Amino acid sequence: MNPTWLKALALVCTFGAVFIIIEILVRTLVKGRVEGHAINLRLKMIGKGRSHGETLNLLRRADSAIPTGLPPFLVGTAHKFERMLMQAQLTIPTGQLMLLILLAPVAVFFLILIVMFGLGMGVSAGRLLMIATFAGAIGAGLPLMILNFKATRTRKKMQEQFPVALDVFVRGLRAGHPIAAALDLLTVEMPDPVGSQFGIAVDEVTYGAELRDALSNMADRWDLEDIRMFVVSLSVQSETGGNLAEILENLSKVIRERQSMYLKVRALSSEGRMTGVMLTVLPVFTFVMLFILSPGFFLDVANDPIFVPGFVILLLMYLTGYFTIRKMVDLKV
């Protein structure tokens, strides 16, 4: 056979083989992604062999790891941290995760010290402060930032899915299902986070809690006014009567109009929020990258007597600016 035809045949076979491999990989990834979105986290955990009670405790973090006797402001911060972990839908025990976040900066700090001693560099108060700041930003600040981002994204998804969940609930009521059965329908039909959260409420009712209390606990965990209005509507209807399906249908319209107004407010304040993000992230990013790429940029001036008070004042000014900008762009609708 002509060598030219052999080369052409080899190229065609190579192209076909690569095309088939890519198609198989794409189909596998798409199939896995669709299946992952079709089943919520609660059903996944139950499918892996966990009991309903164990799944319930892990998802709502019923076993708090906050020690007793702490000052009130530390207790409030610890509860906010647990709520953030719950909203991020992490199943790692709170105590274990808190221990990792506390130990990571210490490990980074001593690792940098070992490297400095190995390179024959001296240690001063300014350098220790600089290293401690860098270790805190890498070991604790970065993980907390990632957890907060994930919790915020899940909370927004909860807000977006809740009107759809109300529509499914209303259709279940119109089809003749009782309230408990209509709620149970949400646990298998809705993806995360709505499916898992209503599943937690259904499990709490199964273990003896009142339906109103279970839904109120869900509203407290997520701190969303939409869920609170849903709980109030159920409470008022159970006491005074009325067409619950029509009440919830009107509530769904109100929530959608409220979300539309919220999106308009976010669009109008997008410039301020982006400015706040840049002014918050850019200094930390610049400091970390400079310390990694050129540590001498900071360490060479860390021995100056004025460095320590100047650096402390700089940190205080950064924290003041961070909380001020956060107050300015945190608009309530």
Side-chain angles (χ1 to χ4, degrees), residues 253-272:
K253 294 179 181 178
V254 171
I255 291 175
R256 282 190 166 91
E257 293 176 357
R258 185 168 175 268
Q259 286 186 352
S260 177
M261 178 64 69
Y262 175 73
L263 293 176
K264 290 180 181 178
V265 172
R266 284 183 61 84
L268 294 174
S269 62
S270 59
E271 182 179 356

Side-chain angles (χ1 to χ4, degrees), residues 1 4 43 75 94 135 209 225 233 267:
M1 184 179 290
T4 305
L43 296 181
V75 173
T94 305
E225 296 299 328
S233 300

Side-chain angles (χ1 to χ4, degrees), residues 1-226:
M1 184 179 290
N2 193 339
T4 305
W5 286 103
L6 287 176
K7 291 180 180 180
L9 183 60
L11 289 174
V12 170
C13 292
T14 303
F15 173 78
V18 172
F19 180 79
I20 293 173
I21 292 173
I22 293 176
E23 185 177 2
I24 292 173
L25 291 176
V26 170
R27 286 188 177 183
T28 304
L29 292 175
V30 171
K31 183 179 179 182
R33 190 173 181 180
V34 171
E35 289 178 353
H37 284 292
I39 304 174
N40 56 57
L41 179 61
R42 172 178 168 270
L43 296 181
K44 286 181 181 179
M45 295 175 66
I46 294 174
K48 291 179 180 179
R50 296 184 184 271
S51 64
H52 285 265
E54 186 180 3
T55 302
L56 175 64
N57 290 330
L58 285 175
L59 290 179
R60 69 175 182 175
R61 295 192 172 269
D63 299 329
S64 178
I66 301 174
T68 58
L70 292 176
F73 72 95
L74 287 180
V75 173
T77 303
H79 282 300
K80 289 182 180 179
F81 179 72
E82 281 196 329
R83 178 182 294 179
M84 180 180 67
L85 296 182
M86 186 278 304
Q87 293 178 356
Q89 292 191 311
L90 294 179
T91 57
I92 304 174
T94 305
Q96 181 179 348
L97 191 58
M98 290 178 67
L99 183 63
L100 290 174
I101 292 178
L102 290 175
L103 290 179
V106 178
V108 174
F109 179 79
F110 283 105
L111 180 62
I112 296 176
L113 281 183
I114 292 172
V115 173
M116 289 181 62
F117 285 135
L119 296 176
M121 300 177 64
V123 177
S124 62
R127 290 186 174 183
L128 288 177
L129 178 61
M130 180 72 65
I131 295 170
T133 304
F134 176 78
I138 291 295
L142 185 60
L144 289 175
M145 190 181 300
I146 294 174
L147 289 175
N148 185 55
F149 173 76
K150 187 174 181 181
T152 303
R153 186 177 60 179
T154 307
R155 196 167 182 268
K156 290 179 181 179
K157 191 181 295 184
M158 183 80 173
Q159 287 179 310
E160 295 172 357
Q161 291 179 351
F162 194 72
V164 181
L166 283 182
D167 294 340
V168 175
F169 185 71
V170 168
R171 286 197 293 268
L173 293 177
R174 293 189 187 279
H177 294 291
I179 294 178
L183 284 176
D184 190 62
L185 184 65
L186 297 176
T187 65
V188 296
E189 295 293 335
M190 293 296 297
D192 279 329
V194 168
S196 294
Q197 295 306 312
F198 275 102
I200 292 173
V202 170
D203 288 341
E204 288 181 347
V205 173
T206 304
Y207 284 101
E210 293 289 337
L211 177 60
R212 185 188 309 175
D213 296 335
L215 294 175
S216 297
N217 292 335
M218 183 174 70
D220 293 336
R221 286 194 299 269
W222 288 89
D223 193 23
L224 292 176
E225 296 299 328
D226 299 343

Side-chain angles (χ1 to χ4, degrees), residues 58 71 78 91 144 236 277 283 294 304:
L58 285 175
T91 57
L144 289 175
V236 171
V277 171
S294 180
D304 195 290

